[in-house]
Amino acid sequence: GVARDPRVRTVIEDGRHFLATTGERFDVISLEPPPPTAEGAATLYTREFYVLARKRLRPGGILAQWIPLDQQTGDLNRALLASALAEFAEVEVYIPSRVEAVVLASDRALTPDLARWRARWENPRVAENLADVGFTTPESLAATRVLDTRGSRRWAAGAAPMVDDLPAVEYYRSR
């Protein structure tokens, strides 16, 4: 029922254009863009995009972004993560399935608060919604957190961030 929540505003538009043209600031920016290998989609995974997103988040706000791990090489995945790390102080990686990741980025620590998660899980709608996607306990969701910020920095070390004028991931399949 998130789309019916009066606190939520859904925008269906080119996300980057929207962020570039609005003056609004948000608590959460959540996006599941086309894979970065799709024509034109790489610009939603570049350092310049993350600059825009960071500017549009309120202090403590969170960016949540899906990344398909199986559609480009490990080196390109590291470059995608390096792009977020170049602009956000905190970047964590959750892997809820073997072929996809969710990157969370913020200016504040993102460490899961299991006590708070357990309290939220008491709401039957929350528990049902998460069970629908395979998470029956807060611990089962927390177990998908594979990299904290320190781990993200280690894994992406040496990878050049993806940038607008060299979106290598977009052309990966044509090589």
Side-chain angles (χ1 to χ4, degrees):
V2 71
R4 292 183 303 276
D5 188 317
R7 299 169 298 171
V8 173
R9 178 171 167 227
T10 302
V11 176
I12 300 173
E13 184 181 330
D14 178 291
R16 185 163 171 166
H17 180 263
F18 176 76
L19 291 178
T21 59
T22 186
E24 293 180 74
R25 297 192 73 195
F26 304 95
D27 296 320
V28 176
I29 296 174
S30 176
L31 62 152
E32 188 174 335
T37 55
E39 184 177 332
T43 62
L44 293 171
Y45 297 86
T46 63
R47 185 174 184 169
E48 293 87 348
F49 171 75
Y50 294 122
V51 167
L52 281 171
R54 184 177 40 80
K55 287 179 181 177
R56 295 295 172 244
L57 285 170
R58 290 187 180 104
I62 296 174
L63 171 92
Q65 184 171 23
W66 169 80
I67 293 180
L69 297 174
D70 65 335
Q71 296 194 23
Q72 57 275 330
T73 66
D75 285 344
L76 288 172
N77 283 325
R78 290 175 50 244
L80 295 174
L81 188 59
S83 303
L85 286 161
E87 297 306 323
F88 286 94
E90 301 289 328
V91 177
E92 297 196 348
V93 178
Y94 285 71
I95 300 183
S97 79
R98 67 179 182 78
V99 297
E100 61 189 355
V102 176
V103 173
L104 298 182
S106 182
D107 65 346
R108 309 253 168 94
L110 294 163
T111 307
D113 179 344
L114 281 176
R116 187 171 176 209
W117 288 17
R118 283 186 199 102
R120 298 290 299 260
W121 225 276
E122 294 299 316
N123 179 330
R125 290 173 49 202
V126 170
E128 181 182 322
N129 191 299
L130 289 165
D132 285 348
V133 292
F135 301 110
T136 57
T137 66
E139 292 79 7
S140 65
L141 178 57
T144 68
R145 179 181 180 239
V146 297
L147 295 173
D148 61 8
T149 298
R150 217 170 83 215
S152 293
R153 290 193 188 289
R154 267 196 310 258
W155 187 66
M162 196 70 53
V163 292
D164 284 351
D165 64 351
L166 191 59
V169 70
E170 186 172 334
Y171 302 102
Y172 164 67
R173 293 203 187 278
S174 64
R175 288 193 208 154

